[in-house]
Amino acid sequence: MDISLVGSINIDLVYRVPYIVNKGETLHSASHSVHFGGKGANQAVTASQLGANVHFIGKVGKDDFGEQAINNLKDRGVYIDSVQKEGATGQAMIQVTDAGGNAIVLFPGANFLVTPKQIEQEAAIISSSKVLLLQLEIPLDAVEKAVKIASQHGKIVILNPAPSQKLPDSLLKNITILTPNETELAQLTGIETTTEEDIRSACKLLLDKGVGTVIVTLGSKGSFYINHVESGWVQALSVDTIDTTGAGDAFNGALAVGLCRGDSLRSSIDFATKVAAYVVTQMGAQPLILQSVLK
Ligand code: RIB
């Protein structure tokens, strides 16, 4: 079960607040904590805890945060030989509300120093893994390079288009599975995603551009998946939510594991739904995953 993961590594500075601060307002935070984060790192840690061999390709800063973030990945079983050090480590300032929602301000730092050249140097890792998993917290040209290498070798390419940005058709046609949330789907396609019919239409537009399967994550409403053969709605599980930060990342990491071990699309989505529901019951974006709870 080898997954190559091209993506971001951050330190998350988390503030618990009664609500998301308004413009011009100073708001007291009830508690402050520092966690390991970054969409790439969160997905990598999830997949590794679920038994995959995860090879991380990315960058941290030449600072204490960078050292700590690399050690954390190593401790969680992620292979870090392809993580380079340059500049300052990425940071995310995250407000988490009492209801579990969040708002994030991102300083990309070293993540934005990942280049196509660095990816090219790691072509052997990408071409020998079963799945390539990526997000959009690193420069798009680096994402494009990794996807090109993986698709030339017939690999499963999962792109979590977060944070959202317009994507070229030349990239979309090489994506096996695209996993936007509702907002990202709307931004990617220019189609409002208010109703189920809107969501279907937006997904169809992406399928017409060559995306293999679209899985739309809808938070407490579950998810919708569609390709040229099948489609369906998957219900979210009802849990006591503490912190939704990293729920999407857990979903993507688990999805990659399911597909990597040869499970069907539907059962990989069911598995990812279960893992995401479990991690929102804990603080931070990289909680411990107890396999026994997922049975
Ligand atoms: O998806 C959650 C992640 O987004 C956080 O860990 C934060 O680092 C930002 O990248």
Side-chain angles (χ1 to χ4, degrees):
M1 284 218 297
D2 283 278
I3 296 174
S4 42
L5 203 147
V6 173
S8 58
I9 302 171
N10 294 329
I11 296 293
D12 290 351
L13 310 172
V14 181
Y15 302 86
R16 191 161 270 284
V17 286
Y19 54 89
I20 304 299
V21 70
N22 293 305
K23 185 177 170 192
E25 182 184 25
T26 300
L27 183 64
H28 281 271
S29 163
S31 70
H32 168 240
S33 48
V34 181
H35 298 268
F36 294 107
K39 295 186 195 304
N42 300 342
Q43 295 178 12
V45 165
T46 301
S48 170
Q49 290 189 91
L50 295 172
N53 299 318
V54 184
H55 305 267
F56 204 104
I57 302 167
K59 260 186 190 155
V60 292
K62 281 184 171 176
D63 46 25
D64 288 350
F65 274 162
E67 196 60 34
Q68 290 163 19
I70 284 193
N71 286 337
N72 168 61
L73 287 176
K74 207 158 65 181
D75 291 348
R76 302 289 197 108
V78 177
Y79 296 95
I80 43 90
D81 287 353
S82 308
V83 179
Q84 297 182 357
K85 286 185 176 172
E86 188 181 347
T89 301
Q91 290 181 32
M93 195 199 76
I94 306 181
Q95 298 176 53
V96 177
T97 68
D98 292 339
N102 66 46
I104 302 180
V105 176
L106 190 62
F107 164 66
N111 297 306
F112 265 21
L113 302 177
V114 175
T115 60
K117 191 167 164 223
Q118 183 187 353
I119 304 298
E120 182 73 56
Q121 287 163 356
E122 308 297 348
I125 290 181
I126 297 173
S127 59
S128 58
S129 302
K130 190 163 178 188
V131 172
L132 169 68
L133 177 57
L134 322 95
Q135 329 71 35
L136 296 175
E137 286 186 337
I138 60 167
L140 189 60
D141 56 359
V143 168
E144 287 179 292
K145 177 53 112 186
V147 170
K148 195 168 172 199
I149 295 169
S151 66
Q152 276 167 352
H153 289 86
K155 305 298 169 182
I156 298 172
V157 178
I158 305 174
L159 175 62
N160 174 218
S164 157
Q165 59 175 280
K166 283 262 177 248
L167 296 175
D169 292 357
S170 56
L171 175 68
L172 290 172
K173 74 172 198 284
N174 288 325
I175 305 300
T176 320
I177 302 186
L178 190 73
T179 58
N181 64 22
E182 265 165 303
T183 315
E184 290 152 2
L185 180 66
Q187 284 165 350
L188 275 172
T189 59
I191 295 176
E192 266 193 50
T193 52
T194 325
T195 65
E196 290 187 1
E197 217 26 65
D198 295 340
I199 290 175
R200 264 181 197 276
S201 310
C203 288
K204 284 203 175 121
L205 195 140
L206 292 168
L207 296 183
D208 288 345
K209 288 179 186 280
V211 174
T213 294
V214 183
I215 304 174
V216 190
T217 53
L218 303 159
S220 59
K221 287 180 271 159
S223 60
F224 171 70
Y225 64 97
I226 184 165
N227 55 37
H228 288 298
V229 180
E230 56 180 331
S231 69
W233 297 88
V234 178
Q235 274 205 331
L237 303 172
S238 156
V239 290
D240 290 333
T241 302
I242 301 285
D243 180 7
T244 55
T245 315
D249 299 332
F251 183 95
N252 279 277
L255 178 75
V257 171
L259 294 168
C260 210
R261 65 185 177 206
D263 295 353
S264 69
L265 176 66
R266 175 62 197 235
S267 66
S268 298
I269 297 173
D270 287 341
F271 178 59
T273 303
K274 225 178 203 182
V275 174
Y278 176 59
V279 306
V280 301
T281 62
Q282 302 173 57
M283 252 330 252
Q286 295 180 12
L288 278 181
I289 297 176
L290 298 176
Q291 309 266 355
S292 52
V293 180
L294 302 174
K295 294 255 151 60

